[in-house]
Amino acid sequence: MKQKVVVFSQIDPDIQEKLEQRYQVVCLQPKLGDVNEQLLTHVQDAEGMIGAGRWLNRHNLATANRLKIISSVSVGYDNYELDYLNEKQIYLAHTPHVLTETTADLAFCLLMSAARKVPYLDQWTKQGQWQRTVGEAQFGVDVFGKTLGIIGLGHIGAAIARRGFYGFNMNILYHNRHEKPELAQSLRAEYCTLSQLLQRSDFVVIAVDLNAESKSLIAAAELAQMQPHAVLVNIARGSVIDEQTLIDALKARQIFAAGLDVYQKEPLKESELFKLENVVTLPHVGSATAATRKKMAELAYQNLVDALEGKVPRYVVNPQF
Ligand code: NAP
């Protein structure tokens, strides 16, 4: 009998087909009602799960007695209750590396867009407001040669730093919980405390994973340390920033602008952010190119197959539970 796999978000069609050839596949369907109810029903006899962007925890996995793996089509895994998966000896796998450069591109895109007011000017032009020449309200801030502070010089943080260093002649500062001397050396990146980084950077980019220490890392006291011309970019997770405090800071023009891909609550609906001209809001699209999403789905598929064949998946988060 085929093993059962629950697909908990939309997945690449080629991978969906491969899954169906190999396993008995059930897809959650939000249109058909409460997804948590569907989960409790379908995970009872499932060996594997694959997908992204869903909170999976002891409550909606309570009936999962045969589950061997949750294969996440993402690098971040803060939406899974890891302690519970460890307790139940369920592997959690993710898809690092294949999305690094694509996400770094998006971070830089946000940085440039916020610095040069691209969405605002796009609207301004399309609305026919370009009468003669532009004025101060349309001016941005320079990027080339400025100071770029990276909070979380991991895979994506380093790829963003490379873009700044090689492409834009930027001085690189970084803050992590642990220094990264080798990585920093190649980029001439200087290790700083969070305070130093915030005070000295023209651009601050957040690229940490969400964990107990990075939650609300940027709140009122931190925003107050940034320079008035500085731009804040977040491609990590929304909860790293206290969002209301950021809204207040943007309203008060305490910083020049922000570029956001992630939010405390997603999808973002009816936010005060929508009324602000000095923020660029994107719908969590860091890794969203067709090619990268395909690579992520393939990697997640391979992680799933490995676990269901009794092997330790290549990109497992909890190899020893
Ligand atoms: P990674 O290689 O694990 O890098 C994360 C870095 O953050 C590590 O270097 C870690 O270093 C640092 N860090 C963690 N907690 C910190 C803290 N409290 N203070 C300072 N630094 C801290 O992960 P990655 O592949 O670069 O991905 C990073 C995150 O980006 C993912 O976890 C995900 O949430 C997010 N992401 C978002 C998108 C999107 O679509 N917007 C796409 C991909 C990834 P230390 O342990 O030394 O502190």
Side-chain angles (χ1 to χ4, degrees):
M1 207 170 93
K2 282 181 174 178
Q3 291 170 298
K4 181 173 168 184
V5 169
V6 174
V7 178
F8 58 91
S9 66
Q10 225 179 12
I11 197 159
D12 178 86
D14 294 339
I15 296 300
Q16 176 79 27
E17 204 179 308
K18 278 165 104 171
L19 286 167
E20 282 167 8
Q21 281 166 10
R22 198 166 187 146
Y23 304 111
Q24 180 204 340
V25 176
V26 174
C27 301
L28 298 186
Q29 300 195 37
K31 278 185 195 155
L32 297 183
D34 190 328
V35 171
N36 287 331
E37 296 274 318
Q38 292 180 38
L39 261 172
L40 287 169
T41 307
H42 295 309
V43 295
Q44 284 183 68
D45 52 350
E47 271 96 354
M49 294 180 71
I50 185 167
R54 189 164 294 290
W55 293 95
L56 294 178
N57 51 42
R58 68 185 63 234
H59 304 295
N60 55 20
L61 296 177
T63 55
N65 293 317
R66 300 173 60 175
L67 196 59
K68 294 193 177 78
I69 178 166
I70 297 175
S71 183
S72 188
V73 193
S74 68
V75 64
Y77 49 84
D78 46 280
N79 51 318
Y80 306 102
E81 191 180 342
L82 194 54
D83 289 346
Y84 181 68
L85 301 185
N86 290 341
E87 202 182 293
K88 293 285 174 185
Q89 307 208 336
I90 298 167
Y91 283 135
L92 176 62
H94 67 151
T95 60
H97 311 303
V98 291
L99 47 55
T100 295
E101 300 300 340
T102 301
T103 309
D105 284 348
L106 196 276
F108 231 87
C109 169
L110 273 173
L111 184 156
M112 298 290 289
S113 302
R116 298 302 300 269
K117 302 187 168 184
V118 172
Y120 158 75
L121 290 173
D122 176 55
Q123 282 307 306
W124 190 81
T125 310
K126 286 173 180 163
Q127 287 162 2
Q129 297 196 60
W130 186 19
Q131 301 296 338
R132 291 191 65 195
T133 183
V134 297
E136 258 189 51
Q138 286 74 47
F139 293 170
V141 291
D142 280 324
V143 176
F144 190 85
K146 296 294 175 183
T147 296
L148 171 60
I150 310 275
I151 304 176
L153 193 76
H155 293 100
I156 296 170
I160 297 165
R162 282 198 299 277
R163 281 157 178 74
F165 181 70
Y166 292 111
F168 291 82
N169 198 30
M170 295 174 97
N171 307 310
I172 311 295
L173 309 179
Y174 79 101
H175 173 73
N176 275 45
R177 290 170 299 183
H178 314 94
E179 270 193 63
K180 305 251 170 127
E182 279 168 36
L183 185 53
Q185 200 181 11
S186 63
L187 298 166
R188 284 188 235 136
E190 185 184 338
Y191 184 74
C192 294
T193 64
L194 183 58
S195 275
Q196 288 165 345
L197 183 145
L198 294 167
Q199 287 169 37
R200 290 174 55 192
S201 298
D202 302 303
F203 297 90
V204 174
V205 180
I206 303 172
V208 294
D209 52 293
L210 178 62
N211 55 54
E213 288 160 78
S214 62
K215 191 162 193 272
S216 298
L217 192 66
I218 304 297
E222 287 70 33
L223 289 166
Q225 295 175 61
M226 290 179 67
Q227 308 194 54
H229 66 263
V231 171
L232 177 66
V233 171
N234 187 12
I235 57 87
R237 285 290 181 265
S239 299
V240 176
I241 299 181
D242 177 339
E243 203 165 279
Q244 189 55 51
T245 308
L246 174 62
I247 291 169
D248 296 341
L250 288 166
K251 275 187 183 164
R253 307 265 161 186
Q254 199 179 316
I255 60 171
F256 182 74
L260 307 175
D261 188 38
V262 287
Y263 309 89
Q264 273 175 4
K265 190 165 185 290
E266 297 180 8
L268 184 67
K269 287 182 178 152
E270 306 208 7
S271 169
E272 281 183 79
L273 289 167
F274 296 159
K275 297 185 194 127
L276 302 178
E277 277 173 355
N278 53 350
V279 61
V280 183
T281 50
L282 295 182
H284 200 148
V285 286
S287 64
T289 67
T292 292
R293 283 290 168 88
K294 197 168 251 322
K295 284 184 207 158
M296 290 165 69
E298 278 163 4
L299 199 50
Y301 172 77
Q302 201 48 57
N303 283 331
L304 178 92
V305 171
D306 284 350
L308 296 188
E309 283 181 351
K311 298 180 211 151
V312 180
R314 181 159 179 209
Y315 293 112
V316 67
V317 171
N318 53 351
Q320 272 105 34
F321 305 110

